[in-house]
Amino acid sequence: MNKKKSPVLLAGLVLVSSEALALDGVAVEAGYGHAIDAYRVGIAAQGNWGKRWFQREKWHVGGYWDLAVARWRWRNAQPGQIDTLYEISLIPVFRLQPAGLEGVYVEAGIGVHLLSQTSFGDRGFSTTFQLGNLAGAGYRFGRRDALELGYLFAQRGEDAWIY
């Protein structure tokens, strides 16, 4: 097995076996950034915390764990450059949302990301372990508020992209 990918695989197995995978939702996301296409496909598990902070009559702050596997593709990689990178992330996300859960929300989180390697296109990371943040807004709707449509801005180091 490739030694650079084994920490990512190990982390994925540990995270999958944890209680953080109590599924409340699954997400499929695609995005883009400066010379990068990013896809969060397959496993993007959201586990609701079931808590309400700063609750008011119409709004409260809730949260969930976001466990995801992502694939990044460098659009214009030159010969000899790595054009594909894989990531596993775990992010606690705080969400300001309506008391009834349906409607407009805003959210933000900072979490850990394990990358498959430290080189990607013309960029380099100091380690495969990175911290990254996200901020977003969206609308929750549908039967039992089961669907969401949103905009997400995510950043790892100097790179940022939109889902």
Side-chain angles (χ1 to χ4, degrees):
M1 176 178 288
N2 183 333
K3 289 184 179 183
K4 291 182 179 181
K5 291 183 181 178
S6 57
V8 173
L9 179 61
L10 177 61
L13 293 174
V14 170
L15 293 174
V16 166
S17 66
S18 74
E19 291 181 16
L21 224 150
L23 285 180
D24 287 323
V26 175
V28 176
E29 302 164 350
Y32 65 93
H34 175 71
I36 298 171
D37 293 323
Y39 303 97
R40 288 175 40 144
V41 178
I43 303 171
Q46 296 178 345
N48 190 333
W49 296 339
K51 298 195 184 291
R52 293 180 179 219
W53 295 285
F54 309 106
Q55 189 164 355
R56 300 292 181 255
E57 184 178 326
K58 295 185 180 186
W59 293 89
H60 73 277
V61 174
Y64 62 91
W65 289 103
D66 185 85
L67 171 64
V69 173
R71 177 183 181 264
W72 305 359
R73 187 179 79 66
W74 193 269
R75 283 192 290 269
N76 300 314
Q78 301 300 312
Q81 292 181 335
I82 296 172
D83 69 349
T84 303
L85 181 77
Y86 296 94
E87 167 193 47
I88 294 176
S89 62
L90 181 62
I91 307 168
V93 180
F94 293 91
R95 179 180 280 186
L96 176 63
Q97 58 195 347
L101 301 181
E102 184 175 333
V104 176
Y105 64 82
V106 294
E107 63 186 8
I110 298 174
V112 295
H113 305 265
L114 277 172
L115 308 178
S116 58
Q117 63 254 351
T118 57
S119 174
F120 180 55
D122 65 2
R123 300 284 165 78
F125 298 97
S126 57
T127 68
T128 57
F129 176 82
Q130 296 287 309
L131 294 176
N133 54 44
L134 63 83
Y139 186 79
R140 191 170 185 177
F141 60 98
R143 187 173 161 216
R144 296 187 303 168
D145 308 318
L147 301 173
E148 295 178 2
L149 183 58
Y151 167 90
L152 186 65
F153 175 81
Q155 184 172 5
R156 312 286 179 276
E158 295 177 8
D159 291 311
W161 51 102
I162 300 166
Y163 288 108

